[in-house]
Amino acid sequence: MSQRKPLIVFLTLVAVVVCSPTVWGADTIKIGFDIPLTGDIPKVGEGSKYAAEILLAEVNGAGGLKVGDKTYMLQFIYEDNESKAESATAAALKLITQDQVLAVIGPQASKQAIPAGEVCNSYKTPMISPWSTNPQTTKDRPYVFRACFLDPFQGPVAAKFATEEFQAKKAAVLYDIASDYPKGLAEYFKEAFEKIHGSGSIVAFETFTTKDRDFSAQLTNIIKSGADVLFTPQYYDEVPLIVKQAHQLGWKKPIMGSDSWGSAELMKLCGDDCKGLYFTTHYAAAGAKGATKEFIDKYNAKYGYVPDDVAALTWDAIRLLLQAIQNTGGLTGNLEKDRENVKNALAQIKDFDGITGTMTFTPEGDPIKCAVVVKISDQGEFEFYKSVCP
């Protein structure tokens, strides 16, 4: 009995070290992905994962990521948030506490990113949302960052463009009142447009609720309002329904959207109805050059279609994270300390050369970067039309 005590003590100590939440794998860096692989916007999750898989293969294929004087292999863990807020928080919790990831990429949509960001910040785990433009995602959350511009910037860009490009003096807005992203952006557009044209220049401010598929009542009101332009900041699965129904009811004026339009699926669903329309976004695939074109070519060769802005932003978000990890100068093996060091390194990144633009983080974790206005060509391609900078 007495001879076995030292062995028992030793095994107990080993178990404590292995199971301790503050100690992680010595040769592997684990990064979690909280993304919508099912639900309303599965293409968003697909593009995120595909971009991640290309980068993962490149880094590990080159021998791993060098941090300080040590090289680590990367392990990406994908959790499906089903495009639901409650699933996004559950996914974040699992990645942080069970999988013990160093950091989290995603969620993408603001409806999931805002609650998941609360979890990540509470557990002091760095999170980068590639695509969430709602200010609440990062507000008062030092551990939460994003790779995209914000709606308070995007809304005025769209309002200014509609004014200058279409000579619009009166505008209509149609949006989902139950979803954080379109609701916030609709309000920022309204505020900016009325600042230019005066109170009452938004002549129709129409709402619907998630899952609605018949917009005829709202569109009839919009047509009767005398608006010069319709702004609808909805997701790619809803836009074709709105645009087609508007045209069927007799709307012949411009329709403008936002970065949520920028999916590879949009034109498959919308077809000719969306040709000639404009939207604000993060990058334009048609006519891209340099590192952006290299990414597009790699993605297209592997997966058979041109990557959307979500994929490009996810690529940038991962590279931002890897840069921050390297900028720590070395990992300690203490997960809590390493998460804190990565967060601090992210906050200090300046002039990061991303494929969606150059980025420097504000103290709130938001990048200062330009927006792009895209025109959907007669061939159905997303063509660069204009760049608008802060």
Side-chain angles (χ1 to χ4, degrees):
M1 187 90 172
S2 60
Q3 289 179 325
R4 293 175 62 192
K5 275 187 179 176
L7 179 60
I8 292 169
V9 170
F10 172 73
L11 290 174
T12 302
L13 286 172
V14 169
V16 168
V17 171
V18 170
C19 297
S20 170
T22 62
V23 179
W24 52 281
D27 301 308
T28 304
I29 293 173
K30 291 195 285 187
I31 297 170
F33 287 76
D34 190 339
I35 53 178
L37 296 169
T38 60
D40 295 334
I41 48 173
K43 268 287 174 183
V44 168
E46 178 184 279
S48 309
K49 186 175 181 180
Y50 283 176
E53 287 291 285
I54 295 172
L55 193 48
L56 178 67
E58 285 188 4
V59 174
N60 285 347
L65 185 73
K66 190 166 179 21
V67 187
D69 57 2
K70 189 168 179 177
T71 301
Y72 299 82
M73 299 303 284
L74 299 181
Q75 180 185 351
F76 289 175
I77 301 169
Y78 304 101
E79 283 293 323
D80 179 15
N81 64 37
E82 306 172 314
S83 309
K84 298 175 183 174
E86 61 272 21
S87 300
T89 56
L93 201 57
K94 178 186 177 293
L95 289 167
I96 294 165
T97 61
Q98 291 184 38
D99 298 311
Q100 297 189 0
V101 298
L102 180 59
V104 174
I105 300 291
Q108 301 285 15
S110 298
K111 195 171 185 178
Q112 292 88 51
I114 293 171
E118 186 176 356
V119 172
C120 289
N121 195 66
S122 297
Y123 281 83
K124 297 184 176 179
T125 302
M127 168 185 143
I128 307 177
S129 173
W131 202 49
S132 172
T133 52
N134 191 296
Q136 296 302 317
T137 300
T138 56
K139 185 175 171 58
D140 299 325
R141 295 171 177 175
Y143 278 83
V144 182
F145 300 81
R146 76 179 91 221
C148 53
F149 51 66
L150 276 73
D151 291 335
F153 170 59
Q154 183 175 196
V157 164
K160 186 167 183 270
F161 181 83
T163 299
E164 294 174 352
E165 192 68 28
F166 311 131
Q167 287 78 54
K169 293 185 171 68
K170 295 184 287 185
V173 182
L174 176 61
Y175 69 98
D176 179 358
I177 198 168
S179 184
D180 292 324
Y181 164 79
K183 181 177 183 292
L185 189 47
E187 289 166 353
Y188 288 119
F189 177 87
K190 181 177 186 288
E191 181 184 346
F193 196 86
E194 288 186 335
K195 192 172 181 182
I196 300 169
H197 298 285
S199 179
S201 56
I202 297 292
V203 290
F205 201 60
E206 297 287 328
T207 66
F208 65 92
T209 304
T210 313
K211 301 289 188 186
D212 284 355
R213 290 296 179 260
D214 181 2
F215 310 102
S216 54
Q218 296 94 324
L219 289 167
T220 299
N221 290 340
I222 286 167
I223 291 168
K224 287 179 180 176
S225 73
D228 302 314
V229 62
L230 167 59
F231 178 65
T232 182
Q234 290 309 127
Y235 292 105
Y236 69 85
D237 59 325
E238 298 158 322
V239 171
L241 295 169
I242 293 168
V243 172
K244 286 174 188 287
Q245 288 177 35
H247 288 161
Q248 286 164 3
L249 289 167
W251 178 270
K252 293 183 172 66
K253 297 173 183 176
I255 300 175
M256 187 173 182
S258 55
D259 62 307
S260 53
W261 283 36
S263 168
E265 285 289 282
L266 179 72
M267 294 311 295
K268 289 181 186 176
L269 299 170
C270 197
D272 291 345
D273 279 282
C274 280
K275 290 177 181 176
L277 303 186
Y278 298 82
F279 62 93
T280 50
T281 190
H282 309 271
Y283 98 129
K289 297 174 183 175
T292 307
K293 186 177 187 304
E294 286 175 25
F295 165 72
I296 292 166
D297 290 347
K298 281 186 285 198
Y299 189 105
N300 199 3
K302 187 166 178 63
Y303 299 113
Y305 66 92
V306 174
D308 55 24
D309 59 352
V310 177
L313 288 164
T314 301
W315 180 271
D316 277 352
I318 301 167
R319 287 183 58 240
L320 276 163
L321 177 59
L322 298 183
Q323 183 67 62
I325 292 170
Q326 289 181 307
N327 288 356
T328 64
L331 298 171
T332 66
N334 180 307
L335 190 53
E336 291 173 5
K337 185 65 180 170
D338 287 329
R339 284 170 173 168
E340 182 185 2
N341 290 343
V342 170
K343 179 264 290 184
N344 292 338
L346 270 171
Q348 291 163 12
I349 284 181
K350 287 182 171 53
D351 300 322
F352 176 83
D353 191 15
I355 62 171
T356 63
T358 303
M359 287 174 253
T360 296
F361 280 120
T362 68
E364 292 77 34
D366 303 322
I368 301 165
K369 64 190 296 192
C370 303
V372 168
V373 177
V374 158
K375 182 179 182 179
I376 303 174
S377 72
D378 290 339
Q379 290 73 44
E381 293 183 324
F382 297 163
E383 288 184 342
F384 173 86
Y385 191 78
K386 187 181 282 189
S387 182
V388 185
C389 298

